[in-house]
Amino acid sequence: MSSSELPVPRPFGSSHQVVIGSITWGYLRARPAGKVKGTVLLLHGFPDLPYGWKNQVPLFTSLGYQVIAPYMMGYSQTSSPSEVEEWAHKKVAAGLAALLDQIVPGEQVILGGHDWGGDVAWRFAMHYPHLFKGVFSVTLPYLPPATEYVDLADKIAAGKYPTWRYRLQWRDPSFDRKFQSAATIRQFLIAVRDGRTPEGKLGGTPAGLDLDVLPRLRPSALLDGEELDRFVAEYQRHGFRGPLNWYRTAKINFEDELPIARAGGHRFTMPALYIFARGDVYLKRELTTDMGRHFDKLTRAEVNTTHWALVENEGKEVNEALRSWLATLE
């Protein structure tokens, strides 16, 4: 079954596409049973899809919010253009701003993201603060613009970001070509979602994917069965080139944000929530220590999960943190 033939996944109620310039944006939508009191825009990360938020959507709709969850640039129902510049945070933010103007013109919404979606959420709120009544990120902290560009390989060599070595593997322009068939796409997805060999060896670590063990991996409970089948079908539409482009735009993003850095940085005036996952082996606590000085009103929460906080334990800890924070916005 192709991705275009897949049914709308629960708990979403409908699937849509909007053409903005040369880009087609796909998104899933869920509405509350009663009157809509606001909108939540949810941005997914990699390797994920909009229904990575499946455990959070019922929370938002139960509180009266409609949910808009786009396929991010390069994923399935959204375009995957040839130019890597299309994945720059500032350009993606402009596209998402236009998308909101098509769906909920003039409305201030609540913005949230996980993984790369969290990074885009911070940048989207930085470039378009007037669009949001609040912003939150699960696992990925706000990392402010810098005044000097240092390549990730040099940072790792200097002892900074030691848990980001996998990004060097994934940003390689030829890496996505290893995962073009349904079988190899499945292997990649299993590896990144904590798949293990029968002997218990992980396929993916902060050092990157162990390509030799991928064919022997077994799925974890984080992504298996029919949901894994759906992910494979969705990723077959564009492959991994587009999703992996998120790892190839560091210098472009630096150049876009350099004027902000030189002006002293950005300060968020809207309420913000950051949810830290204690068991995340990729995004460690030391990345979060300096966040507070960039916000007027930052709430911090912690959950006892790995990086995949949205789905572990059915997302209950994340939902508790979100429910408490949402109450402060009303």
Side-chain angles (χ1 to χ4, degrees):
M1 181 180 292
S2 70
S3 61
S4 61
E5 298 173 319
L6 293 169
V8 176
R10 295 179 180 179
F12 293 97
S14 58
S15 176
H16 310 265
Q17 287 187 315
V18 173
V19 178
I20 299 171
S22 61
I23 303 297
T24 298
W25 286 90
Y27 67 93
L28 301 179
R29 190 173 198 162
R31 297 178 182 269
K35 183 179 179 180
V36 176
K37 71 175 182 182
T39 300
V40 179
L41 179 70
L42 298 177
L43 309 180
H44 69 83
F46 176 76
D48 212 340
L49 292 166
Y51 38 91
W53 295 97
K54 62 183 180 181
N55 294 313
Q56 288 67 50
V57 171
L59 167 66
F60 291 119
T61 55
S62 73
L63 295 174
Y65 294 100
Q66 71 167 334
V67 173
I68 305 296
Y71 288 86
M72 297 299 281
M73 187 71 71
Y75 292 81
S76 192
Q77 308 301 320
T78 292
S79 297
S80 185
S82 58
E83 302 85 2
V84 71
E85 291 81 6
E86 295 291 337
W87 277 260
H89 288 159
K90 187 175 182 179
K91 195 153 191 176
V92 170
L96 290 170
L99 180 66
L100 283 178
D101 191 52
Q102 291 282 327
I103 305 171
V104 286
E107 181 183 336
Q108 269 199 328
V109 308
I110 297 170
L111 172 65
H114 170 248
D115 186 77
W116 273 118
D119 206 20
V120 175
W122 295 129
R123 266 54 196 180
F124 193 5
M126 180 174 72
H127 291 299
Y128 296 88
H130 62 285
L131 294 180
F132 306 110
K133 63 186 298 185
V135 58
F136 70 89
S137 175
V138 183
T139 69
L140 203 144
Y142 174 64
L143 303 173
T147 56
E148 179 183 1
Y149 180 74
V150 180
D151 187 74
L152 179 60
D154 295 324
K155 291 178 182 178
I156 292 173
K160 192 174 184 181
Y161 303 139
T163 60
W164 286 9
R165 286 175 292 161
Y166 70 96
R167 293 190 177 200
L168 301 180
Q169 182 189 51
W170 293 9
R171 74 179 186 177
D172 186 310
S174 66
F175 186 61
D176 50 89
R177 297 175 197 159
K178 302 179 187 295
F179 306 98
Q180 296 183 327
S181 68
T184 53
I185 288 172
R186 182 179 297 270
Q187 290 169 9
F188 187 109
L189 294 169
I190 290 173
V192 177
R193 293 297 186 99
D194 291 353
R196 296 174 182 266
T197 67
E199 299 79 30
K201 185 175 182 179
L202 283 166
T205 70
L209 296 189
D210 184 341
L211 302 181
D212 293 334
V213 306
L214 294 192
R216 301 179 56 243
L217 295 178
R218 295 174 177 175
S220 75
L222 294 174
L223 184 64
D224 60 4
E226 292 182 1
E227 189 170 72
L228 175 58
D229 293 340
R230 179 169 189 131
F231 268 63
V232 172
E234 295 266 31
Y235 273 89
Q236 278 187 274
R237 181 162 184 162
H238 295 312
F240 280 119
R241 183 192 61 83
L244 287 173
N245 274 346
W246 291 97
Y247 297 89
R248 298 164 179 158
T249 59
K251 192 166 187 180
I252 301 171
N253 292 330
F254 163 78
E255 292 169 349
D256 283 342
E257 296 172 2
L258 185 56
I260 297 173
R262 286 177 172 169
H266 179 77
R267 188 167 185 86
F268 294 88
T269 57
M270 76 283 286
L273 168 68
Y274 171 60
I275 301 177
F276 173 72
R278 295 189 182 106
D280 194 328
V281 299
Y282 304 98
L283 300 169
K284 309 298 285 185
R285 188 180 297 275
E286 52 263 32
L287 296 176
T288 75
T289 54
D290 198 37
M291 276 187 67
R293 67 187 182 92
H294 302 286
F295 296 83
D296 283 352
K297 189 177 181 182
L298 175 65
T299 300
R300 294 173 181 263
E302 297 192 7
V303 293
N304 289 307
T305 70
T306 69
H307 183 72
W308 305 106
L310 299 182
V311 295
E312 281 189 49
N313 303 319
E314 299 180 334
K316 291 177 181 177
E317 290 186 68
V318 169
N319 286 3
E320 289 175 8
L322 287 172
R323 185 187 296 274
S324 297
W325 179 70
L326 290 166
T328 69
L329 304 184
E330 298 179 355

